[in-house]
Amino acid sequence: AGPRMESLPEAVLIRILASIPAVDLVLACRLVCCQWKNLIDGAALWILKCQQEGLTGAESQENAENWQNFYFLSKKRKNLIKNPCGEEDLQHWGEVENGGDGWKIEDLPGDFGKEFPSEEVHKYFVTSYEWCRKAQVIDLRAEGYWEELMDTTQPKIVVKDWYAGRSDAGCLYELCVKLLSENEDVLAEYKSETITIAQDNDASWTEISHTFSDYGPGVRFVRFEHGGQDTLFWKGWYGVRVTNSSVTVEP
């Protein structure tokens, strides 16, 4: 028989293991033997994987466990809000409250509106003359953020939204985001004030953001809700415009 895996120099074994998909490393390869478990729990393998895949910024991570989490969080990093810009009408948005004439989707820049700072955004949701709200609940486990990661590492959860008025109408805007447990108890909450945009505003788009950190164990869902209305009670869609909402779990 030829040389066995155990007799390979550790540096060579790390290079071989680094070519295996990360999920398989953690769920299968770790169980092969003590040596493999130690390598997969160590920093060197994940540093190599980060380097190979161009994941930068990990240099600040101090201990081995963080390298593995940094790798997974970097790979998964994406906007967890579905249909953030109205490309699919109101799909994926639940608990919709249609005050006045209800929600409508319009193309940028819209009447008395301004272009959005990013060329990738083409549409927005617009509110009416009574409160319009809509919400989306993100299931973190379904998105691949396992319980131990959420409970121990507690990665930052970054929430962003964009809102604008139209220059011929005043409006109100609100954002409320909750981190929920398995039973949907509220473990952390961010609520903006009610933001008032005056009637003679310049229609420019404004970003609002909040970062949750050190929120404690048990977070399984993120509930994102926003909405608004106009302040003139004009029939139609003169209320606040919202688009490009995002929730990301950051390394």
Side-chain angles (χ1 to χ4, degrees):
R4 299 175 50 181
M5 285 291 266
E6 296 91 285
S7 62
L8 283 173
E10 214 158 75
V12 176
L13 186 52
I14 283 175
R15 288 207 163 272
I16 294 169
L17 289 172
S19 65
I20 295 170
V23 173
D24 298 333
L25 286 174
V26 174
L27 296 181
C29 301
R30 241 180 121 251
L31 309 177
V32 170
C33 64
C34 267
Q35 186 193 17
W36 284 30
K37 178 182 182 294
N38 291 337
L39 290 178
I40 290 163
D41 289 347
L45 171 62
W46 299 99
I47 291 171
L48 181 60
K49 278 185 87 65
C50 286
Q51 287 167 346
Q52 284 176 345
E53 299 182 37
L55 303 176
T56 53
E59 294 71 31
S60 58
Q61 304 298 324
E62 279 136 37
N63 58 29
E65 175 196 25
N66 280 357
W67 277 97
Q68 185 177 323
N69 289 340
F70 178 87
Y71 177 86
F72 276 105
L73 289 167
S74 299
K75 292 290 283 184
K76 284 184 185 302
R77 192 173 180 177
K78 63 167 187 170
N79 185 5
L80 300 175
I81 292 275
K82 297 180 173 70
N83 185 25
C85 305
E87 295 289 346
E88 303 168 77
D89 203 46
L90 279 168
Q91 202 173 344
H92 304 296
W93 292 96
E95 301 173 66
V96 177
E97 190 180 317
N98 279 310
D101 287 322
W103 285 98
K104 188 184 179 195
I105 287 99
E106 292 179 349
D107 292 325
L108 279 155
D111 293 342
F112 294 88
K114 280 222 174 112
E115 283 295 354
F116 193 77
S118 156
E119 288 177 6
E120 285 138 46
V121 178
H122 305 291
K123 297 174 186 280
Y124 57 82
F125 302 91
V126 56
T127 59
S128 189
Y129 58 86
E130 282 170 356
W131 270 101
C132 296
R133 295 179 210 277
K134 61 188 177 71
Q136 204 169 122
V137 177
I138 295 159
D139 180 339
L140 292 166
R141 275 174 304 194
E143 294 291 350
Y145 298 97
W146 61 96
E147 295 178 9
E148 191 191 357
L149 178 76
M150 295 310 301
D151 294 348
T152 308
T153 304
Q154 293 173 33
K156 287 198 272 294
I157 298 172
V158 179
V159 177
K160 295 180 179 175
D161 201 17
W162 287 82
Y163 64 90
R166 39 185 290 165
S167 57
D168 63 341
C171 60
L172 305 174
Y173 165 83
E174 275 180 15
L175 172 65
C176 178
V177 185
K178 297 174 180 176
L179 305 186
L180 306 176
S181 72
E182 181 79 43
N183 307 321
E184 304 199 4
D185 299 319
V186 179
L187 301 181
E189 180 175 8
Y190 167 75
K191 202 171 188 340
S192 73
E193 55 189 351
T194 302
I195 294 164
T196 304
I197 300 174
Q199 185 170 352
D200 54 355
N201 71 90
D202 67 358
S204 60
W205 286 91
T206 303
E207 184 184 42
I208 181 171
S209 83
H210 177 76
T211 299
F212 291 98
S213 54
D214 302 324
Y215 39 77
V219 171
R220 301 292 176 260
F221 302 96
V222 181
R223 185 181 184 280
F224 178 105
E225 180 189 290
H226 62 180
Q229 67 171 84
D230 77 11
T231 49
L232 302 167
F233 300 98
W234 287 351
K235 184 157 177 59
W237 295 274
Y238 293 86
V240 74
R241 300 165 168 187
V242 294
T243 195
N244 208 34
S245 313
S246 67
V247 172
T248 50
V249 180
E250 301 280 338

